[in-house]
Amino acid sequence: MIFREHYIKDIRLFYDSDLIKIITGVRRCGKSVILEQVIEEIKIQTNNIIYINFEDKKTSNNIVTADDLILYIEGNRKEGKCYLFIDEIQELRDWAIACKTLRLHNCSIFITGSNSKLLSKEFIKELSGRYVAFRIRPFVYKEILEYAKELDKEVSIIDYLIWGGFPKRFEFSSLEAEKRYLNDLDDTIVINDLIVRYKIRKVELFKSLVNFVLKNNSRIVSINSIYNYINKQHEKCSINTIIKYINYLEEAYIISSIKQYSSKVKRELIYYYKVYNEDVCFNSIRVFDNRFDLTHNLENIVYNELLYMGYTLYVYNNNGNEIDFLAIKNNKKYYIQVAYSIADDSTYNREFKAFKDIDNLSQKIIITNDDLDYSTSLIRHIKLKDFLLLEEL
């Protein structure tokens, strides 16, 4: 497995800190591997290390409470600072209590989890001032190329646009095996992590909502539009139920959203947002007859890559013309349009029109899968194949 320095360099700053290091993200994005890589670095200086994985039944059946965990650590640690690594800690009842106690007894604590309730208001209150969080995501294309080289295989951009960047899938020798893995992963996240955990009774209704949302990535959504769709397909459900189900998807890092920034009122409009999938495979495994949604997946990929580069993102309303991203980093603004191709005149005119009246102090960028360069004196065109290799804009 490749060494993910992009994430580890930030975690490394806190190796000896008494702050609880929370490493979080969607299932199978590589959190456990990062934990292992951190352990290997720390092993250079000490062997006072304890690793616990709560997905291992042998562990979860014997360490059930916070007191159980504290007793286990105290019985197995050596003298001096102990480096404690706990995988999928959300499976332990009252885990926050255990972590608060252990950090007071010369433990440097690293924990992982697949649920953003690790950072819910409840736990933020309990751990206030005692933690630092790191969000891990599936591979971006640069990481895919590095891992593909390690595996002695090739991964095309089109493959990335369709099947995404979950690390494990690249280890399979056939597309059918990859698709089976991704379908099983989807079932695990939706059924085990959501339906079971939240005791959802309207299972078919929930699955219908999940399918609708994940197939409509990179699109503007409203709770009302989802509500209307669901109520045509199923028995009536409330707006509150829809909101609750959407929150479950965000808590499990399956989707995320960005708000609109309006040029008229110079503020965020909280009722208007776009939803993106954590990985485009969540869209593609729901597609029949290989009619993959490359246009919206491409925008979703650009979203994921920009987050990896460290940009804060908004949808931008330019006096009625939607610009896909306003990306901000180090006080620099970039207005970004994304299209699969602008080869035909109508698409070219539509995409470039979105930048009308934007001042020239900020960069205006269009990203497409075209091979020709469509840059103008005011608008920079970046080919997708070049964008995916950039470290920053």
Side-chain angles (χ1 to χ4, degrees):
M1 176 59 71
I2 64 170
F3 190 81
R4 301 184 78 179
E5 175 66 14
H6 176 84
Y7 297 107
I8 292 176
K9 64 180 171 58
D10 294 329
I11 303 171
R12 191 179 290 125
L13 300 173
F14 296 89
Y15 279 3
D16 294 315
S17 170
D18 65 351
L19 293 175
I20 298 164
K21 279 69 71 176
I22 301 177
I23 301 170
T24 191
V26 70
R27 277 193 185 275
R28 303 295 175 258
C29 68
K31 301 185 299 296
S32 297
V33 171
I34 284 180
L35 212 59
E36 291 168 7
Q37 292 173 346
V38 170
I39 290 172
E40 289 303 312
E41 284 200 345
I42 291 177
K43 274 183 179 178
I44 296 171
Q45 65 186 57
T46 181
N47 63 353
N48 196 1
I49 295 170
I50 297 175
Y51 171 78
I52 299 171
N53 183 0
F54 277 98
E55 285 193 325
D56 184 337
K57 287 296 181 185
K58 186 177 179 181
T59 297
S60 58
N61 287 340
N62 290 285
I63 303 177
V64 179
T65 68
D67 286 341
D68 293 339
L69 179 60
I70 293 167
L71 288 172
Y72 178 85
I73 300 303
E74 290 303 317
N76 288 274
R77 65 181 294 177
K78 298 178 175 65
E79 288 294 324
K81 182 181 284 292
C82 178
Y83 294 83
L84 175 59
F85 296 84
I86 309 176
D87 225 342
E88 299 298 344
I89 197 171
Q90 78 278 354
E91 304 298 334
L92 176 72
R93 187 167 68 246
D94 296 330
W95 64 267
I97 295 172
C99 287
K100 284 196 299 181
T101 301
L102 289 165
R103 68 180 288 271
L104 296 176
H105 293 83
N106 205 16
C107 285
S108 179
I109 304 170
F110 301 76
I111 61 177
T112 76
S114 303
N115 189 309
S116 66
K117 279 192 175 297
L118 285 173
L119 298 176
S120 69
K121 290 180 181 178
E122 175 188 353
F123 290 127
I124 286 176
K125 184 178 179 181
E126 287 194 46
L127 298 178
S128 179
R130 301 181 182 95
Y131 76 90
V132 59
F134 305 92
R135 170 77 178 273
I136 311 301
R137 299 177 183 275
F139 282 166
V140 294
Y141 195 58
K142 290 184 286 291
E143 294 178 302
I144 291 173
L145 291 180
E146 186 179 351
Y147 194 37
K149 184 177 180 181
E150 187 176 294
L151 296 173
D152 194 27
K153 58 192 302 187
E154 294 183 1
V155 180
S156 68
I157 290 175
I158 289 294
D159 178 89
Y160 177 42
L161 288 179
I162 296 173
W163 302 117
F166 276 108
K168 184 72 176 177
R169 82 167 179 92
F170 301 102
E171 298 173 14
F172 296 100
S173 58
S174 71
L175 178 57
E176 287 307 309
E178 288 185 39
K179 289 162 67 174
R180 176 171 292 186
Y181 166 74
L182 293 173
N183 274 285
D184 288 346
L185 176 61
D186 185 87
D187 287 342
T188 298
I189 292 171
V190 173
I191 296 174
N192 293 350
D193 283 4
L194 298 180
I195 293 175
V196 174
R197 177 176 292 155
Y198 296 111
K199 298 180 174 61
I200 295 171
R201 295 191 302 274
K202 298 180 179 180
V203 173
E204 293 306 315
L205 186 152
F206 177 72
K207 286 183 176 179
S208 182
L209 177 143
V210 170
N211 288 334
F212 178 80
V213 171
L214 295 181
K215 287 177 70 174
N216 283 277
N217 58 323
S218 309
R219 293 171 175 87
I220 297 164
V221 299
S222 70
I223 298 301
N224 281 334
S225 65
I226 300 172
Y227 172 80
N228 291 335
Y229 170 81
I230 294 299
N231 279 306
K232 286 180 182 178
Q233 306 294 320
H234 298 275
E235 59 188 87
K236 297 294 181 181
C237 70
S238 68
I239 290 285
N240 285 339
T241 297
I242 298 295
I243 293 172
K244 182 169 63 177
Y245 287 172
I246 294 294
N247 286 339
Y248 292 164
L249 291 175
E250 293 208 68
E251 286 171 1
Y253 300 115
I254 298 169
I255 62 170
S256 56
S257 60
I258 57 174
K259 299 172 183 176
Q260 181 192 40
Y261 189 92
S262 172
S263 60
K264 288 185 176 180
V265 295
K266 302 297 183 185
R267 63 182 175 87
E268 296 175 23
L269 303 179
I270 61 174
Y271 57 83
Y272 176 103
Y273 56 94
K274 256 184 171 179
V275 168
Y276 293 91
N277 295 347
E278 182 71 359
D279 191 275
V280 294
C281 75
F282 290 134
N283 177 301
S284 297
I285 62 175
R286 289 171 166 81
V287 169
F288 294 100
D289 301 324
N290 293 331
R291 296 180 64 83
F292 300 111
D293 190 352
L294 296 179
T295 299
H296 290 97
N297 279 3
L298 190 152
E299 183 179 330
N300 205 140
I301 288 291
V302 170
Y303 169 80
N304 291 340
E305 295 272 347
L306 287 170
L307 287 180
Y308 180 86
M309 294 179 195
Y311 291 93
T312 300
L313 302 177
Y314 300 90
V315 182
Y316 190 79
N317 183 346
N318 182 27
N319 297 315
N321 293 312
E322 179 192 311
I323 293 179
D324 293 320
F325 300 111
L326 166 59
I328 303 174
K329 183 178 178 182
N330 298 329
N331 295 320
K332 293 182 180 179
K333 291 183 178 180
Y334 303 84
Y335 296 91
I336 303 169
Q337 280 290 82
V338 182
Y340 193 79
S341 173
I342 51 174
D344 69 85
D345 290 342
S346 61
T347 307
Y348 178 95
N349 292 331
R350 182 186 70 240
E351 299 298 334
F352 276 75
K353 180 184 176 183
F355 295 113
K356 184 180 179 182
D357 298 328
I358 296 265
D359 68 73
N360 294 324
L361 297 177
S362 303
Q363 276 201 46
K364 292 170 278 189
I365 296 170
I366 187 161
I367 300 169
T368 80
N369 198 40
D370 296 302
D371 283 327
L372 292 177
D373 185 354
Y374 290 97
S375 297
T376 69
S377 59
L378 299 177
I379 298 171
R380 175 185 172 199
H381 174 223
I382 306 178
K383 302 170 188 176
L384 180 63
K385 62 184 180 182
D386 297 328
F387 169 78
L388 294 176
L389 300 179
L390 295 178
E391 296 295 335
E392 58 181 23
L393 295 172

